[in-house]
Amino acid sequence: MINQYLLLDGVQYEQALIRLYARDDDLEIEPLYAGTPWQEVADLGPVLVKPGPHSELLKELTREPEWHVSTSLLSSPAPLVDVATHLRQLNKVTDAVGNPSLLRYADPLVAWFWLNSYGAASLRRILGPVTEWRLAEPHQSWLPEQDHQWHAFISTEATDGKAVSVLGQAQMSGLKKAYSWQLKERLYTWLKQHQPADLAQIAAEELNTWFEEHLSGAEACGLISERSIAIWCALSLRHGSDFSAAHDGAYQQWNAHQSQPLYTADQRLQQYYQESV
């Protein structure tokens, strides 16, 4: 018998435990931070749910968009306790040089890039008792609305036998792509609020390329903080992509007349923005 499980991300599905326990529904609920050092924030962590035969939760999953950005659908012949035990190995992971971190594997966006970074044998190891891990393919918010496309991660290969909780370089690259996607979404939301007319000058289908180019430009100029990157994008929209390099431009003229040196690229750009906007 194949069991169906929902894997919820407590950050994306706000107040997950309160909402789940408040339902008049046939559910087994297992917070995956329970019994771990992160038990006090279990509501913000991954939550594994097994709907019973009379539950309406699986029907809701297919029709309500909130579930698509917060929930994956897992299939497994194993009981809840075995699936939970396997997934808990992913709570804390280490990279190739031994740096530890928490992995947001229950966030469908993170899981999309993370699971796509594995080959078949490695994916089989990550899936463990899970035979299929289904989630909605990410959709950029500035593109026209469309029905979510569900993708199933499966592998019939023999496992490679490596540790589940160790990430290789491919996984680190995948997680970096997930962060970049999230950053672009936050930048889009901020620019839409503060510079809607400027933003509207870029066609929706060209926005991803525009963001990629300007994130690369910000990195090349030594910008580190997300606030500085947002300012970089805002000024590029308003004054053109060469606003920082033009010798006769306002930024270079301002920079040349500073009596007190500002030592980092972040300091210089943020101070200029504060004085000029």
Side-chain angles (χ1 to χ4, degrees):
M1 176 181 173
I2 299 296
N3 301 307
Q4 301 295 321
Y5 300 97
L6 274 66
L7 177 62
L8 278 72
D9 178 67
V11 174
Q12 297 291 344
Y13 191 73
E14 296 181 2
Q15 298 184 309
L17 296 181
I18 293 175
R19 294 166 70 182
L20 287 170
Y21 284 120
R23 291 176 65 101
D24 182 17
D25 207 343
D26 180 16
L27 304 174
E28 292 183 61
I29 303 168
E30 182 67 18
L32 296 179
Y33 278 176
T36 76
W38 311 284
Q39 181 165 317
E40 291 186 359
V41 290
D43 196 45
L44 297 176
V47 180
L48 188 65
V49 180
K50 182 182 180 184
H54 304 295
S55 173
E56 294 293 315
L57 204 52
L58 291 176
K59 294 180 182 178
E60 290 181 23
L61 179 67
T62 61
R63 66 175 183 258
E64 296 187 11
E66 183 183 20
W67 292 106
H68 301 162
V69 297
S70 65
T71 310
S72 303
L73 179 62
L74 311 183
S75 301
S76 175
L80 178 85
V81 62
D82 290 351
V83 177
T85 298
H86 175 75
L87 292 175
R88 282 193 173 101
Q89 298 178 77
L90 298 167
N91 287 348
K92 182 180 178 181
V93 296
T94 57
D95 63 21
V97 295
N99 297 316
S101 62
L102 295 179
L103 178 64
R104 293 274 308 283
Y105 60 90
D107 182 337
L109 175 65
V110 174
W112 172 265
F113 290 99
W114 168 62
L115 292 173
N116 267 305
S117 73
Y118 288 102
S122 298
L123 181 60
R124 179 66 267 154
R125 161 173 48 96
I126 296 302
L127 294 176
V130 175
T131 54
E132 182 178 270
W133 188 319
R134 295 183 67 230
L135 48 80
E137 183 176 344
H139 177 73
Q140 291 168 323
S141 60
W142 55 81
L143 294 177
E145 288 292 333
Q146 64 180 38
D147 292 336
H148 282 78
Q149 302 298 311
W150 288 83
H151 180 85
F153 290 90
I154 58 176
S155 176
T156 57
E157 297 289 327
T159 177
D160 60 12
K162 297 179 181 178
V164 171
S165 60
V166 176
L167 304 181
Q169 188 55 50
Q171 286 69 61
M172 299 306 297
S173 297
L175 294 176
K176 186 177 180 180
K177 292 178 183 178
Y179 169 74
S180 177
W181 183 292
Q182 293 167 331
L183 176 57
K184 287 183 284 188
E185 290 285 345
R186 290 193 293 273
L187 291 171
Y188 172 73
T189 299
W190 187 79
L191 291 169
K192 187 177 180 180
Q193 178 182 355
H194 292 90
Q195 293 180 213
D198 295 330
L199 189 63
Q201 299 303 309
I202 304 175
E205 62 272 15
E206 297 175 359
L207 261 177
N208 187 62
T209 299
W210 189 91
F211 277 125
E212 290 286 350
E213 291 174 350
H214 288 79
L215 289 178
S216 296
E219 182 179 6
C221 285
L223 300 178
I224 297 173
S225 74
E226 189 166 316
R227 170 172 167 74
S228 295
I229 294 170
I231 291 171
W232 177 272
C233 291
L235 292 173
S236 296
L237 267 182
R238 181 65 52 84
H239 303 297
S241 298
D242 64 342
F243 81 92
S244 67
H247 294 295
D248 58 347
Y251 179 70
Q252 287 293 349
Q253 292 181 19
W254 172 88
N255 200 34
H257 290 88
Q258 295 308 297
S259 57
Q260 296 294 326
L262 297 170
Y263 295 104
T264 71
D266 289 270
Q267 288 176 327
R268 289 191 297 273
L269 190 68
Q270 291 189 28
Q271 185 65 32
Y272 170 73
Y273 189 72
Q274 182 176 329
E275 294 180 12
S276 63
V277 173

